[in-house]
């Protein structure tokens, strides 16, 4: 295995760093397996390409890198970029032009809000902010005021409160603030697939911080991924992922704030305005990465009681939920596909 090139891009004045490194292995004369490593939006991304030409590798590196940089800038609500501008305009009561891709994602978020009975809600940025769960806020020293939480919830903010005039968005709600964190990785996986397919790449694994999409297969065999214990991160099971499938995991251990010695997770229950503590992790396999991402977040919020209803509502066959008492809920298809490690 040899490292053949490394690229690092830093934008002055921005907190994100995008880095890409390229590793060559399994060398043949024309086509090789390649692994591209990127770091963007605070997340490690690795893209493994199987049997690709040097030209495909070069173009994939350039195009993925540029897309991840664009997304890091424009899909993050708390820094200057398109989503920030959309939120700012809507907050001042104006209607705002939204680029076609972001408009599509926001509309899908609204659809998932309806499907999930509001468990998934991408319009709760004001609550995320109140809890100090967004990355650039100072760590809060006290719990948010219940009156502030109640004021936000009373307004029933959500992506469904956005009304559209073609791709111009506006809202009558005083509290809608889009936070696409629950759906963005799925959308980025979807975009990465489009980029690779357009380059004629048929076999690849795109891994964005542990959420991954498989294209084709790995040297003739289905890709296999490990599932780790949410408590000690040791491998507990493995799962094979077919061509075109995505596996997404949401976990409350991924990001949290600590207030008075207690941890509060980054996934909020839109019904109470409080971070979820009844679920630990949810894993979903589906052919639609955007739906899988939204559904994993919704399952965390719904918890064991709503596992069956939510998997049905989203049309998901392969799902697993671990709740805070360690109980595991599985769909029948997940049960059949999982290989437990003794
Ligand atoms: P995920 O890791 O996909 O479950 O997404 C978690 C992120 O989604 C959080 O960091 C927030 O940005 C956002 N979020 C938090 N609670 C919700 C919710 N109930 N519905 C949708 N997005 C949420
Ligand atoms: Mg999600």
């Amino acid at each position: 295995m040899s490292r053949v090139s490394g690229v690092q891009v830093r934008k002055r004045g921005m907190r994100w760093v995008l880095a890409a490194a390229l590793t060559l292995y399994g060398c043949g004369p024309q086509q090789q397996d390649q692994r591209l490593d990127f770091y963007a939006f605070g997340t490690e991304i690795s893209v493994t390409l199987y049997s690709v030409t040097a030209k495909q590798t070069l173009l994939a590196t350039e195009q993925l890198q540029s897309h991840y940089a664009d997304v890091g800038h424009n899909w993050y609500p708390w820094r200057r970029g398109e989503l920030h501008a959309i939120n700012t305009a809507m907050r001042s009561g104006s209607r705002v032009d939204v680029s076609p891709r972001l408009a599509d994602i926001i509309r899908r978020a609204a659809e998932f809000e309806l499907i999930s009975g509001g468990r998934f809600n991408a319009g709760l940025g004001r609550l995320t902010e109140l809890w100090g769960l967004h990355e650039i806020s100072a760590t809060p020293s006290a719990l948010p005021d219940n009156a502030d939480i109640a004021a936000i919830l009373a307004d029933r903010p959500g992506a469904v409160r956005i009304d559209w005039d073609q791709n111009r968005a506006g809202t009558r709600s005083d509290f809608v603030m889009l936070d696409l964190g629950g759906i963005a990785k799925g959308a980025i996986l979807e975009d990465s697939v489009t980029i690779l397919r357009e380059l004629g790449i048929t076999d690849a694994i795109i891994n964005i911080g542990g959420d991954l999409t498989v294209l084709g297969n790995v040297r003739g065999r289905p890709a296999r991924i490990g599932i780790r214990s949410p408590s000690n991160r040791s491998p507990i099971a493995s799962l094979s992922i077919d061509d075109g499938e995505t596996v997404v995991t949401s976990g409350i251990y991924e990001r949290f704030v600590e207030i008075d010695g207690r941890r509060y997770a980054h996934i909020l229950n839109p019904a109470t305005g409080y971070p979820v503590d009844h679920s630990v992790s949810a894993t979903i396999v589906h052919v639609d990465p955007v739906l899988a991402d939204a559904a994993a977040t919704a399952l965390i919020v719904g918890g064991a009681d709503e596992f069956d209803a939510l998997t049905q509502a989203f049309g998901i066959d392969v799902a697993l939920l671990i709740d805070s008492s360690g109980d595991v809920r599985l769909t029948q298809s997940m049960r059949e596909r999982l290989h437990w490690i003794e």
Side-chain angles (χ1 to χ4, degrees):
M1 189 185 287
S2 66
R3 167 167 289 224
V4 294
S5 78
V7 193
Q8 192 154 57
V9 180
R10 280 174 200 276
K11 286 229 173 175
R12 222 169 349 143
M14 291 196 182
R15 292 181 74 253
W16 53 264
V17 176
L18 175 72
L22 174 63
T23 311
L24 269 185
Y25 51 96
C27 302
Q30 300 296 329
Q31 296 192 322
Q32 292 168 324
D33 297 345
Q34 308 270 7
R35 182 176 145 152
L36 318 178
D37 288 301
F38 305 88
Y39 183 76
F41 36 88
T43 307
E44 284 176 15
I45 303 165
S46 86
V47 179
T48 311
L49 310 175
Y50 297 98
S51 303
V52 283
T53 62
K55 188 170 176 197
Q56 284 173 318
T57 306
L58 190 68
L59 291 172
T61 308
E62 279 172 12
Q63 292 178 21
L64 291 172
Q65 180 159 296
S66 136
H67 187 60
Y68 299 150
D70 178 48
V71 161
H73 182 63
N74 285 313
W75 296 11
Y76 186 71
W78 288 285
R79 218 175 290 132
R80 303 224 165 264
E82 188 181 355
L83 191 58
H84 178 80
I86 294 167
N87 281 327
T88 309
M90 289 198 307
R91 197 162 176 166
S92 69
S94 315
R95 206 167 257 291
V96 59
D97 267 319
V98 181
S99 63
R101 180 56 173 153
L102 258 187
D104 169 51
I105 295 167
I106 297 165
R107 286 191 170 102
R108 293 212 71 191
E111 176 199 337
F112 297 134
E113 193 177 324
L114 292 173
I115 287 177
S116 69
R119 305 305 181 256
F120 181 86
N121 185 329
L124 297 179
R126 294 284 290 273
L127 267 184
T128 303
E129 230 171 55
L130 200 61
W131 280 96
L133 286 160
H134 55 309
E135 65 173 307
I136 50 177
S137 97
T139 307
S141 54
L143 289 175
D145 212 321
N146 277 331
D148 292 337
I149 295 177
I152 294 174
L153 293 186
D155 190 57
R156 307 183 73 77
V160 296
R161 298 287 307 279
I162 294 176
D163 52 82
W164 294 91
D165 173 5
Q166 306 212 345
N167 275 1
R168 287 174 68 72
T171 182
R172 288 172 191 277
S173 160
D174 290 331
F175 289 98
V176 169
M177 177 177 175
L178 289 167
D179 163 10
L180 300 174
I183 199 177
K185 277 195 209 167
I188 299 165
L189 284 168
E190 190 174 65
D191 291 344
S192 305
V193 167
T194 305
I195 289 171
L196 297 184
R197 285 222 164 106
E198 277 174 6
L199 293 172
I201 295 169
T202 52
D203 299 282
I205 298 178
I206 307 148
N207 183 339
I208 304 186
D211 294 340
L212 56 92
T213 299
V214 173
L215 283 188
N217 54 48
V218 180
R219 298 182 203 99
R221 294 212 202 113
R224 218 167 232 297
I225 64 128
I227 294 193
R228 291 178 184 278
S229 152
S231 53
N232 62 14
R233 314 300 298 141
S234 61
I236 50 173
S238 73
L239 185 62
S240 62
I241 308 296
D242 292 332
D243 180 12
E245 284 186 333
T246 293
V247 56
V248 168
T249 298
S250 270
I252 64 159
Y253 46 82
E254 281 173 354
R255 221 170 61 227
F256 48 82
V257 285
E258 220 165 275
I259 307 171
D260 290 338
R262 214 195 125 176
R263 284 182 174 187
Y264 293 89
H266 66 136
I267 299 174
L268 297 164
N269 184 344
T272 62
Y274 267 68
V276 171
D277 63 2
H278 51 263
S279 310
V280 176
S281 78
T283 298
I284 283 170
V285 182
H286 198 269
V287 290
D288 180 341
V290 188
L291 181 140
D293 193 356
T297 308
L299 281 191
I300 290 271
V301 176
D305 290 349
E306 296 182 1
F307 179 78
D308 292 337
L310 283 172
T311 48
Q312 268 170 35
F314 277 97
I316 283 164
D317 280 340
V318 190
L320 170 159
L321 175 79
I322 302 176
D323 74 13
S324 50
S325 56
D327 287 346
V328 181
R329 296 294 308 268
L330 298 156
T331 57
Q332 184 57 31
S333 304
M334 179 65 97
R335 197 183 300 278
E336 286 160 10
R337 280 172 66 161
L338 265 189
H339 297 270
W340 294 100
I341 297 166
E342 295 302 324

